[in-house]
Amino acid sequence: MKQAQDDGPFFHGTKADLRVGDLLTAGFHSNYRPEVVMNHVYFTAVADGAGLAAELAAGDGKPRVFAVEPTGPYEDDPNVTDRKFPGNPTRSYRSTEPVRIVGEVTDWPRLSPEALRTWRERLAVLREDERGAIIN
């Protein structure tokens, strides 16, 4: 794994009830494709990006953004940087090693109900496109 050049701070958005000191680990289902078990923990250096992830996360919990620190090497998230945004302007990363919760961010901007609905519709279309590509 090639270490990314960004030193943070880093953030993770979720609906999970976490506390300072907890470790996020790989091996859980994706928020965006629940049939996929994740081999990495994903995080970003953009608090607003983590907020979007929190809003779109699976579950009924309260969307939350946590400040995190990687416990091992991490790399640019190739799902974003190679496919959508060359150069990693979203400052999105992933690691196979745990990521530690070091605090909670409470002042991130929330999506309007309309914006949240639009994002969910976009994700649903992407899921259907992926399923069609797999079946065909």
Side-chain angles (χ1 to χ4, degrees):
M1 178 180 298
K2 180 184 168 215
Q3 180 92 12
Q5 298 302 309
D6 202 324
D7 293 327
F10 297 115
F11 307 94
H12 179 85
T14 184
K15 288 184 180 165
D17 185 20
L18 302 170
R19 294 173 177 39
V20 170
D22 286 351
L23 294 175
L24 303 174
T25 59
F28 291 91
H29 291 276
S30 167
N31 280 318
Y32 310 107
R33 294 178 53 207
E35 70 279 7
V36 173
V37 174
M38 305 303 292
N39 295 319
H40 297 87
V41 178
Y42 291 82
F43 54 97
T44 179
V46 180
D48 290 0
L52 176 60
E55 296 270 24
L56 296 173
D60 296 325
K62 172 185 161 189
R64 298 170 76 184
V65 173
F66 293 98
V68 299
E69 64 181 14
T71 63
Y74 56 95
E75 63 185 354
D76 290 343
D77 175 1
N79 300 310
V80 176
T81 57
D82 292 346
R83 295 182 187 170
K84 297 179 181 132
F85 304 106
N88 201 3
T90 62
R91 297 174 67 196
S92 300
Y93 305 98
R94 70 182 191 178
S95 179
T96 56
E97 300 298 318
V99 175
R100 179 177 294 108
I101 303 290
V102 295
E104 184 168 359
V105 178
T106 58
D107 61 347
W108 52 279
R110 300 293 303 266
L111 293 177
S112 69
E114 297 79 25
L116 185 55
R117 185 173 37 259
T118 299
W119 274 103
R120 287 189 174 140
E121 289 169 359
R122 288 179 185 165
L123 285 174
V125 168
L126 288 173
R127 280 190 212 110
E128 286 303 315
D129 289 348
E130 286 179 357
R131 284 187 188 119
I134 291 169
I135 294 170
N136 295 325

